[in-house]
Amino acid sequence: MNEKVPDFYNNKDLIFDEIWTLLSRGVVDRSEDFRLPVVIVNKGQISDGRIVVLRGAFKDRRVLRFHTDLRSSKIEALKENNNIYFLFYNKKRKIQVRAKGKATIHFKDKITDEAWKKTMIISRKCYLATNAPGSVSENPHPGYPEELEGKNPKIEDTEIGYENFCVVESKIKEMEWLYLASQGHRRAKINIDDNGSVNTEWLTP
């Protein structure tokens, strides 16, 4: 018996909204698969991927956001080449989304100020590391001071971490959507112009 298909199965005009519904859910729901996308950046001839936590999905601006350490290698790469790629997959809904955009790094501005105020202590701890992420270490350790292992500092003692905190906002220009279904897969490409207008076309899965 074929599974019941969702409304967007044969209606390309519903796909864009479905994608942003999942993205918005990923920002607030820890159980949503879209919360943890793979992000790919490029430096020279080398592509480099990692998982980040989705911290913002702004449909009106076509923008995705995540937080990171200013000293990280992905920031170094984005300063050289601000092309950025996201890969999302929701196992339950069997939906894959690839998103392509241009990244902007925010540091010590209104966006980072507001984001930092909302950042929990357990996350702020990560920005207290003396050395940059990826630095070679003689012994295994979490990066932040030993006295903080297994416990959280006072909120006022985390403020120094703001010096290493930045927000990456990515203006999405293109998306590819894939829906896996037993009766036949569906695939579509979404182009977003500079004014934010959306054009969706079917692709062969």
Side-chain angles (χ1 to χ4, degrees):
M1 180 184 294
N2 286 346
E3 60 190 276
K4 181 180 178 181
V5 296
D7 292 339
F8 56 70
Y9 186 70
N10 287 318
N11 188 342
K12 66 181 181 180
D13 295 329
L14 299 179
I15 295 171
F16 187 71
D17 288 339
E18 173 66 14
I19 290 172
W20 284 94
T21 295
L22 292 175
L23 291 170
S24 298
R25 191 176 296 155
V27 175
V28 297
D29 185 353
R30 291 176 180 272
S31 66
E32 169 55 54
D33 292 341
F34 271 38
R35 184 175 178 81
L36 299 172
V38 174
V39 164
I40 299 170
V41 297
N42 300 285
K43 186 175 182 183
Q45 299 298 312
I46 298 174
S47 296
D48 192 7
R50 75 269 289 141
I51 292 172
V52 301
V53 178
L54 188 65
R55 297 295 187 183
F58 307 96
K59 181 183 176 184
D60 58 334
R61 296 193 289 126
R62 313 327 193 198
V63 165
L64 299 178
R65 175 189 288 182
F66 64 88
H67 303 164
T68 193
D69 194 304
L70 186 70
R71 303 165 295 174
S72 66
S73 60
K74 58 182 168 293
I75 293 298
E76 184 181 348
L78 287 172
K79 286 179 178 179
E80 182 178 303
N81 180 349
N82 73 336
N83 288 300
I84 190 165
Y85 305 82
F86 293 81
L87 176 61
F88 301 86
Y89 184 67
N90 182 296
K91 183 178 180 180
K92 182 178 179 180
R93 292 177 173 80
K94 294 176 287 186
I95 291 175
Q96 174 186 276
V97 172
R98 293 188 290 165
K100 183 187 302 184
K102 296 283 187 179
T104 299
I105 302 164
H106 293 275
F107 178 61
K108 289 188 175 181
D109 60 11
K110 184 178 179 180
I111 288 174
T112 49
D113 285 348
E114 291 177 354
W116 181 251
K117 289 174 184 175
K118 296 176 183 177
T119 300
M120 298 174 65
I121 291 178
I122 193 170
S123 296
R124 286 187 174 203
K125 264 173 70 173
C126 300
Y127 298 97
L128 299 178
T130 303
N131 298 324
S135 299
V136 175
S137 174
E138 211 171 298
N139 300 301
H141 66 86
Y144 44 74
E146 284 186 23
E147 60 268 23
L148 294 181
E149 290 192 41
K151 64 180 181 178
N152 288 330
K154 295 179 180 178
I155 187 72
E156 56 268 25
D157 294 334
T158 65
E159 290 300 330
I160 191 173
Y162 183 68
E163 297 295 321
N164 302 320
F165 177 77
C166 70
V167 174
V168 177
E169 286 203 333
S170 302
K171 186 83 168 180
I172 302 303
K173 302 292 186 181
E174 181 184 301
M175 290 176 159
E176 270 205 25
W177 168 90
L178 176 66
Y179 174 66
L180 304 176
S182 59
Q183 60 269 52
H185 305 330
R186 291 290 187 266
R187 183 178 176 186
K189 183 177 181 180
I190 300 169
N191 289 301
I192 306 168
D193 67 20
D194 292 338
N195 297 317
S197 296
V198 173
N199 178 59
T200 304
E201 57 186 351
W202 293 115
L203 300 178
T204 302

